[in-house]
Amino acid sequence: MQWPKRILRHGAARHSFAALLAAAALLSPAWAQPEQIDLSSQPVHWNPESRGDIAAGELEWAGEIELKSTHKRFGGWSGLAISADGSTLLAVSDEAMWLTGQLLYDEKGRLSGMGDAKIAPLLGPDGKPFAGKSQADAEGLTVDGPDPLKSNAYVSFERQHRVLRYDLGKNGFDAKPEKILTERQLGKLNANAGLESLTTLKPKPGVNETRLLLVSENSRDARGNVRAFIAEGRKVKRLSFRLHDPYHPTDIARLPNGDFLLLERRFSLLAGAGMQLRLIREDAVRPGAVADGNVLLDTGQRRSIDNMEGLAVRQDEKGNVWVYAISDDNFNPLQRTLLVMFRLKPETLTPLQTQGKDGSLGAKAVSAPAESKPK
């Protein structure tokens, strides 16, 4: 039977289109799709000598896992974001890699594992992975939505100090970045102690751009405090954070009430690694100020910590505030990639403010969350 010529032309066109798609797939670069990796996640105890010890200063330990993979690009995780429902992790490494995975919790609501892990390189403006450490040293990560994989992701870099924005919601890990800030706007920063900490600020009337707060690791002002910046689009205002030597900032996250948690680390050959969390009140973060706050947690090698560098905060539908921190193993076999979760005690949070008829501010009572299981 002979097919009509019109159908033959249609079939030939479909065949040619399919062939073009196949050829395009073969020609697409290896980094075009995230790569599934082997990953093991093993629960660890906060206090290796006492399984029932969950005390963590003004917080409560709520589970912890050690992450391992044989993939050569796994490690160095320095920036962290967690979805509002606690199910999805997004991290960046100081070798300019993305990591994503699904978090698991046990019957008590404690962090117990991670699966479906994928990695992909951060791309430069040319659509290619960054070449060399000077371009690839990503340190801070924050997102502007409840699901980090459907949001804009802001990434801060050291060495070549800058902040880039990736539209993951639209383009996934194929996203090419938009340059938000450069060292020209920030001033001279120490090469390996620059834009370590990054979070979003509350929206401000009249400002359409996402507002960012950046804290350097150890770039100091004339008074010896670490330099920090408030960025509204490409407009930058300066402030400082009080240095708590021997600790240095590694990340910052905004709490639901507008206050901030500052993650800091120390290290010495004698004392090993140390981790500190400091509560910075919202009104302390303003142009020209030297921000400081109360220490909520100060711990060392007696607890399961390492080189803690990434911090994220979320609040569940019952009002519980959960804090996550991840460690950078420096690609050193003697170090570990740890992901730890805490519950922030409700009494630690600043009460919400209500305005009276006379314009005065008063404290609004905040009831304690009904339960402490992540949902």
Side-chain angles (χ1 to χ4, degrees), residues 51 69-70 100 111-112 117 139 145 147 152 156 211 216 219 224 227 233 237 265 276 281 310 317 331 340 359 364 367:
R51 297 180 58 175
S69 176
T70 59
T100 185
L111 181 65
S112 62
E139 295 289 347
D147 183 343
N152 286 306
S156 62
R211 302 171 67 230
S216 70
S219 293
R227 297 172 60 195
K237 300 175 183 178
R265 57 115 184 265
Q276 181 167 280
R281 299 299 185 186
E317 71 277 8
F331 296 94
V340 57
K364 177 181 177 181
S367 58

Side-chain angles (χ1 to χ4, degrees), residues 177-198:
E178 178 186 357
K179 191 173 291 185
I180 302 299
L181 294 171
T182 66
E183 193 165 4
R184 180 179 298 178
Q185 295 151 287
L186 301 168
K188 185 68 175 177
L189 298 169
N190 289 350
N192 196 29
L195 301 180
E196 191 84 17
S197 307
L198 173 65

Side-chain angles (χ1 to χ4, degrees), residues 63-213:
E64 186 169 358
I65 53 177
E66 180 179 358
L67 303 175
K68 294 181 179 180
S69 176
T70 59
H71 196 285
K72 64 180 181 179
R73 302 299 300 275
F74 182 87
W77 307 112
S78 301
L80 181 67
I82 304 291
S83 63
D85 64 3
S87 65
T88 303
L89 172 146
L90 178 68
V92 292
S93 80
D94 55 18
E95 297 288 344
M97 296 294 293
W98 300 106
L99 169 70
T100 185
Q102 297 300 302
L103 297 179
L104 307 173
Y105 301 86
D106 65 17
E107 66 281 358
K108 294 182 179 179
R110 292 181 179 175
L111 181 65
S112 62
M114 189 173 103
D116 194 25
K118 301 181 181 72
I119 64 171
L122 280 75
L123 303 183
D126 60 357
K128 298 179 181 179
F130 293 109
K133 183 69 171 178
S134 65
Q135 293 185 27
D137 195 358
E139 295 289 347
L141 169 67
T142 192
V143 298
D144 62 5
D147 183 343
L149 300 183
K150 297 179 181 179
S151 305
N152 286 306
Y154 296 81
V155 182
S156 62
F157 292 78
E158 287 185 332
R159 301 177 196 270
Q160 288 190 20
H161 305 288
R162 64 204 189 279
V163 176
L164 302 180
R165 177 170 60 202
Y166 290 85
D167 190 344
L168 299 184
K170 182 179 180 181
N171 299 306
F173 294 138
D174 286 337
K176 297 178 184 179
E178 178 186 357
K179 191 173 291 185
I180 302 299
L181 294 171
T182 66
E183 193 165 4
R184 180 179 298 178
Q185 295 151 287
L186 301 168
K188 185 68 175 177
L189 298 169
N190 289 350
N192 196 29
L195 301 180
E196 191 84 17
S197 307
L198 173 65
T199 192
T200 58
L201 290 162
K202 283 183 178 179
K204 182 179 178 181
V207 179
N208 296 324
E209 299 92 346
T210 298
R211 302 171 67 230
L212 301 174
L213 173 63

